[in-house]
Amino acid sequence: MSRPLIQVLDLAKSYGSHQVFTNISFLIREGEVIALVGPNGVGKSTLLRILAGLEPSTSGAIIRFQDIQIGCVPQDPAFEERNTPWDVLHDASAAKAQEALSRFGLAGDAHLPVGSLSGGQKTRLALAKIWMSPVHLLLLDEPTNHLDLAGIDWLESFIKGYPGTVLVVSHHRTFLDKTASRVIVLSPNQAIEYEGTYTSWREAKEADYQRQLDSYEQEQKRIRKVEADIDRHLRWFEGSHRQAGTNDFYRARAKGIARRAKAQIKRLARMKESAIARPKGEMTVRLPSLEEQAIGRRVILAKGLTYSFAKELFKPSDFAVFRGEKVGIVGPNGCGKTTLLRLIKGDLEAQGHLWVTPGARIACLDQELEALDYQAPVLDEVMKVVRQPSAESITLVRTLLKHLRLAADDAAKPIGALSIGQRRCIALVKLVLSDFNLLLLDEPMNHLDIALREKLVEVLQAYHGTVLLASHDQHLLAKLCTKILSFEEHIIVSYAGYAEYEAGGQLAGGADERLLLEARMARLTSELCTMNKDDPGYEEKEQEFFAAARKLRSLKE
């Protein structure tokens, strides 16, 4: 086992009367990559600042076993806005600074003001500075913020190759699974340590819940058996007592039955007193179907769609979206994902052909966020979209809010008292409960912790309408999306799900090959539906479809 670096003992932090966390203890060892997870507001960023020496704790101790250097990259790295990346890095030798700029993808922007860089570029610059003067313990606070999928892949490689220890806060589940081998779960009253990936911790937690549930059900089964025995003895007693009359034998028998029943009643009371409570499991989301489905099978059709503004964002592209599909939009930052959503919404004039069904009732998350009434109580704000409020609809809304970790007390709070992430949840709940049948969501998971992201995935899975969302969250894309529109070399390419997108459309072997062949046939069917038989390329796609069908048939034989 590797040597210990830092021991945290009974750490606590409060701001005035507000207790952030208390009784926090854990160990950090040399060479580890550790994921620090927990709900929004539990104090993860505060804990990183305390470990970095940027903020004092209220009580407790941090023991360093070695003389170590600690570096911290915050969520939004701050630099002098007028400085350039070269200015930030050139304290070392020019050759070393040039290597850092090249290694971290900043060579082309070396002499631009830092203020003009994107959030992802600033994160790279902060990491480049640390790379030039490596630290023993690297603290990363939400490093995947502002990074596209390629940037996240790059960050994964950087962490895997980092020579020291890394403690990372992130709400990006797939990223954590690929980088971290240990998990620290932070809560207001403790820190739980787990050896393994985030997903393995969740699986272990689910297995533990199942064991508790099995124990509870077995205990309840024994209680029901004792209750049935008591009921049977009491019925015997009543019958025997009526039949006994003055017969001493039958009267003695009836009294014996009564004594056994009383003993059983006492036993039952003891069993119930010591019985374990039913463990709390995950809630299931069920949403009502849309009352009106005045919408055809095809919702969106693009043929030769392009868009230019000062420069060409993307070249003529073809794709279709069908009713009920959950479509993920992916690509590098600045490729045109948000622009595509605005074109579909009608905010921008399409260049090329873009048809959106007249029956589409479109809503955007950002628009709903702006429309929230900050003075209204949470429950009242959500109920505004319910056409005919009733006891049943109020129960549905309360259940949804509880599913998103908004308890009964939170339902009475004004919207303005909620966190940014909670307000995003409220806006999304309003969208899925309304009569909109086409949702356009741009980075809907921003500011949400992992557990809340997974809850919102369940809400979107239960939604009966069509969803288009731009996101870099791989877990969301894999779990939710039935189609992917990917910006590749300035062209929009359609994939039948995230698995085919990850495989790059290339076929694997065995069961994976059959799965990808089926996905490719589904994509080709979608594309052929958007074309006429005399269109250029129709015959080629048709032949590709037949070839895939023959290959799939041969694999199944």
Side-chain angles (χ1 to χ4, degrees), residues 28 47-49 51-52 70-74 130 135 137-141 165-168:
I28 298 176
L47 180 56
L48 290 191
R49 289 196 297 272
L51 289 172
I70 299 177
C72 184
V73 177
I130 284 178
V135 295
L137 175 59
L138 176 59
L139 309 175
L140 302 177
D141 193 0
T165 300
V166 180
L167 178 63
V168 56

mmCIF file of all heavy atoms in Angstrom, residues 28 47-49 51-52 70-74 130 135 137-141 165-168:
data_model
loop_
_atom_site.group_PDB
_atom_site.id
_atom_site.type_symbol
_atom_site.label_atom_id
_atom_site.label_comp_id
_atom_site.label_asym_id
_atom_site.label_seq_id
_atom_site.Cartn_x
_atom_site.Cartn_y
_atom_site.Cartn_z
ATOM 1 N N ILE A 28 -5.607 10.505 2.668
ATOM 2 C CA ILE A 28 -5.151 10.618 1.281
ATOM 3 C C ILE A 28 -3.773 9.984 1.190
ATOM 4 O O ILE A 28 -2.871 10.345 1.948
ATOM 5 C CB ILE A 28 -5.089 12.090 0.826
ATOM 6 C CG1 ILE A 28 -6.482 12.721 0.869
ATOM 7 C CG2 ILE A 28 -4.506 12.193 -0.581
ATOM 8 C CD1 ILE A 28 -6.488 14.198 0.519
ATOM 9 N N LEU A 47 -14.049 22.401 1.243
ATOM 10 C CA LEU A 47 -13.075 21.425 1.739
ATOM 11 C C LEU A 47 -11.773 21.501 0.930
ATOM 12 O O LEU A 47 -10.670 21.437 1.502
ATOM 13 C CB LEU A 47 -13.664 20.023 1.676
ATOM 14 C CG LEU A 47 -12.761 18.878 2.156
ATOM 15 C CD1 LEU A 47 -12.280 19.123 3.582
ATOM 16 C CD2 LEU A 47 -13.491 17.538 2.061
ATOM 17 N N LEU A 48 -11.884 21.650 -0.398
ATOM 18 C CA LEU A 48 -10.674 21.777 -1.223
ATOM 19 C C LEU A 48 -9.874 23.012 -0.833
ATOM 20 O O LEU A 48 -8.638 22.970 -0.739
ATOM 21 C CB LEU A 48 -11.041 21.836 -2.711
ATOM 22 C CG LEU A 48 -11.573 20.565 -3.371
ATOM 23 C CD1 LEU A 48 -11.620 20.743 -4.882
ATOM 24 C CD2 LEU A 48 -10.744 19.349 -3.020
ATOM 25 N N ARG A 49 -10.571 24.132 -0.589
ATOM 26 C CA ARG A 49 -9.871 25.368 -0.211
ATOM 27 C C ARG A 49 -9.174 25.203 1.148
ATOM 28 O O ARG A 49 -8.069 25.720 1.357
ATOM 29 C CB ARG A 49 -10.847 26.545 -0.176
ATOM 30 C CG ARG A 49 -11.320 26.985 -1.554
ATOM 31 C CD ARG A 49 -11.957 28.371 -1.512
ATOM 32 N NE ARG A 49 -13.156 28.390 -0.678
ATOM 33 C CZ ARG A 49 -14.365 28.111 -1.120
ATOM 34 N NH1 ARG A 49 -14.549 27.781 -2.385
ATOM 35 N NH2 ARG A 49 -15.418 28.161 -0.310
ATOM 36 N N LEU A 51 -8.023 22.314 2.388
ATOM 37 C CA LEU A 51 -6.870 21.443 2.150
ATOM 38 C C LEU A 51 -5.728 22.206 1.485
ATOM 39 O O LEU A 51 -4.552 21.946 1.751
ATOM 40 C CB LEU A 51 -7.275 20.253 1.277
ATOM 41 C CG LEU A 51 -8.180 19.197 1.926
ATOM 42 C CD1 LEU A 51 -8.647 18.182 0.892
ATOM 43 C CD2 LEU A 51 -7.456 18.501 3.064
ATOM 44 N N ALA A 52 -6.070 23.171 0.620
ATOM 45 C CA ALA A 52 -5.049 23.942 -0.088
ATOM 46 C C ALA A 52 -4.460 25.053 0.778
ATOM 47 O O ALA A 52 -3.514 25.731 0.366
ATOM 48 C CB ALA A 52 -5.638 24.538 -1.361
ATOM 49 N N ILE A 70 1.024 21.533 -2.469
ATOM 50 C CA ILE A 70 -0.367 21.326 -2.883
ATOM 51 C C ILE A 70 -0.760 22.415 -3.876
ATOM 52 O O ILE A 70 -0.494 23.596 -3.652
ATOM 53 C CB ILE A 70 -1.317 21.363 -1.666
ATOM 54 C CG1 ILE A 70 -0.954 20.254 -0.673
ATOM 55 C CG2 ILE A 70 -2.767 21.220 -2.107
ATOM 56 C CD1 ILE A 70 -1.792 20.254 0.593
ATOM 57 N N GLY A 71 -1.370 22.014 -4.978
ATOM 58 C CA GLY A 71 -1.874 22.961 -5.975
ATOM 59 C C GLY A 71 -3.363 22.786 -6.156
ATOM 60 O O GLY A 71 -3.884 21.670 -6.043
ATOM 61 N N CYS A 72 -4.052 23.873 -6.418
ATOM 62 C CA CYS A 72 -5.516 23.832 -6.545
ATOM 63 C C CYS A 72 -5.952 24.570 -7.804
ATOM 64 O O CYS A 72 -5.531 25.709 -8.049
ATOM 65 C CB CYS A 72 -6.167 24.465 -5.316
ATOM 66 S SG CYS A 72 -7.979 24.381 -5.310
ATOM 67 N N VAL A 73 -6.774 23.904 -8.625
ATOM 68 C CA VAL A 73 -7.376 24.536 -9.806
ATOM 69 C C VAL A 73 -8.858 24.720 -9.507
ATOM 70 O O VAL A 73 -9.614 23.747 -9.461
ATOM 71 C CB VAL A 73 -7.183 23.682 -11.072
ATOM 72 C CG1 VAL A 73 -7.874 24.334 -12.263
ATOM 73 C CG2 VAL A 73 -5.704 23.483 -11.368
ATOM 74 N N PRO A 74 -9.319 25.956 -9.288
ATOM 75 C CA PRO A 74 -10.729 26.200 -8.938
ATOM 76 C C PRO A 74 -11.644 26.040 -10.152
ATOM 77 O O PRO A 74 -11.183 25.836 -11.283
ATOM 78 C CB PRO A 74 -10.712 27.639 -8.427
ATOM 79 C CG PRO A 74 -9.571 28.276 -9.147
ATOM 80 C CD PRO A 74 -8.534 27.212 -9.330
ATOM 81 N N ILE A 130 0.607 24.377 -13.438
ATOM 82 C CA ILE A 130 0.949 23.356 -12.445
ATOM 83 C C ILE A 130 1.911 22.328 -13.039
ATOM 84 O O ILE A 130 2.839 21.856 -12.376
ATOM 85 C CB ILE A 130 -0.333 22.691 -11.914
ATOM 86 C CG1 ILE A 130 -1.027 23.647 -10.936
ATOM 87 C CG2 ILE A 130 -0.050 21.356 -11.241
ATOM 88 C CD1 ILE A 130 -2.321 23.153 -10.370
ATOM 89 N N VAL A 135 3.127 19.539 -8.356
ATOM 90 C CA VAL A 135 2.858 19.475 -6.914
ATOM 91 C C VAL A 135 2.583 18.023 -6.540
ATOM 92 O O VAL A 135 2.225 17.197 -7.381
ATOM 93 C CB VAL A 135 1.650 20.361 -6.532
ATOM 94 C CG1 VAL A 135 1.965 21.825 -6.772
ATOM 95 C CG2 VAL A 135 0.394 19.949 -7.313
ATOM 96 N N LEU A 137 0.198 17.009 -4.419
ATOM 97 C CA LEU A 137 -1.251 16.810 -4.340
ATOM 98 C C LEU A 137 -1.943 17.874 -5.172
ATOM 99 O O LEU A 137 -1.830 19.069 -4.895
ATOM 100 C CB LEU A 137 -1.728 16.893 -2.886
ATOM 101 C CG LEU A 137 -3.250 16.825 -2.659
ATOM 102 C CD1 LEU A 137 -3.847 15.538 -3.210
ATOM 103 C CD2 LEU A 137 -3.586 16.974 -1.167
ATOM 104 N N LEU A 138 -2.654 17.425 -6.204
ATOM 105 C CA LEU A 138 -3.369 18.324 -7.109
ATOM 106 C C LEU A 138 -4.861 18.265 -6.792
ATOM 107 O O LEU A 138 -5.468 17.192 -6.814
ATOM 108 C CB LEU A 138 -3.121 17.923 -8.564
ATOM 109 C CG LEU A 138 -3.878 18.700 -9.641
ATOM 110 C CD1 LEU A 138 -3.563 20.192 -9.567
ATOM 111 C CD2 LEU A 138 -3.538 18.146 -11.024
ATOM 112 N N LEU A 139 -5.444 19.418 -6.478
ATOM 113 C CA LEU A 139 -6.871 19.520 -6.161
ATOM 114 C C LEU A 139 -7.592 20.148 -7.351
ATOM 115 O O LEU A 139 -7.250 21.265 -7.766
ATOM 116 C CB LEU A 139 -7.077 20.366 -4.907
ATOM 117 C CG LEU A 139 -6.246 19.977 -3.675
ATOM 118 C CD1 LEU A 139 -6.466 20.983 -2.547
ATOM 119 C CD2 LEU A 139 -6.600 18.574 -3.210
ATOM 120 N N LEU A 140 -8.578 19.454 -7.890
ATOM 121 C CA LEU A 140 -9.308 19.931 -9.070
ATOM 122 C C LEU A 140 -10.782 20.105 -8.717
ATOM 123 O O LEU A 140 -11.438 19.150 -8.292
ATOM 124 C CB LEU A 140 -9.172 18.944 -10.229
ATOM 125 C CG LEU A 140 -7.755 18.624 -10.712
ATOM 126 C CD1 LEU A 140 -7.791 17.566 -11.818
ATOM 127 C CD2 LEU A 140 -7.066 19.888 -11.213
ATOM 128 N N ASP A 141 -11.300 21.311 -8.905
ATOM 129 C CA ASP A 141 -12.700 21.606 -8.593
ATOM 130 C C ASP A 141 -13.476 21.782 -9.893
ATOM 131 O O ASP A 141 -13.312 22.774 -10.607
ATOM 132 C CB ASP A 141 -12.787 22.871 -7.736
ATOM 133 C CG ASP A 141 -14.168 23.046 -7.110
ATOM 134 O OD1 ASP A 141 -15.045 22.193 -7.350
ATOM 135 O OD2 ASP A 141 -14.366 24.029 -6.375
ATOM 136 N N THR A 165 -0.570 12.840 -6.638
ATOM 137 C CA THR A 165 -1.897 12.437 -6.158
ATOM 138 C C THR A 165 -2.915 13.478 -6.620
ATOM 139 O O THR A 165 -2.625 14.672 -6.635
ATOM 140 C CB THR A 165 -1.907 12.340 -4.621
ATOM 141 O OG1 THR A 165 -0.933 11.375 -4.224
ATOM 142 C CG2 THR A 165 -3.266 11.922 -4.098
ATOM 143 N N VAL A 166 -4.106 13.033 -6.987
ATOM 144 C CA VAL A 166 -5.152 13.935 -7.476
ATOM 145 C C VAL A 166 -6.430 13.715 -6.664
ATOM 146 O O VAL A 166 -6.875 12.575 -6.489
ATOM 147 C CB VAL A 166 -5.443 13.707 -8.975
ATOM 148 C CG1 VAL A 166 -6.537 14.666 -9.453
ATOM 149 C CG2 VAL A 166 -4.186 13.869 -9.819
ATOM 150 N N LEU A 167 -6.984 14.799 -6.165
ATOM 151 C CA LEU A 167 -8.306 14.787 -5.524
ATOM 152 C C LEU A 167 -9.210 15.671 -6.378
ATOM 153 O O LEU A 167 -8.954 16.872 -6.523
ATOM 154 C CB LEU A 167 -8.228 15.320 -4.094
ATOM 155 C CG LEU A 167 -9.552 15.413 -3.316
ATOM 156 C CD1 LEU A 167 -10.178 14.039 -3.126
ATOM 157 C CD2 LEU A 167 -9.335 16.079 -1.949
ATOM 158 N N VAL A 168 -10.253 15.080 -6.967
ATOM 159 C CA VAL A 168 -11.055 15.803 -7.952
ATOM 160 C C VAL A 168 -12.525 15.834 -7.542
ATOM 161 O O VAL A 168 -13.096 14.821 -7.136
ATOM 162 C CB VAL A 168 -10.891 15.187 -9.363
ATOM 163 C CG1 VAL A 168 -11.243 13.707 -9.363
ATOM 164 C CG2 VAL A 168 -11.728 15.931 -10.395
#
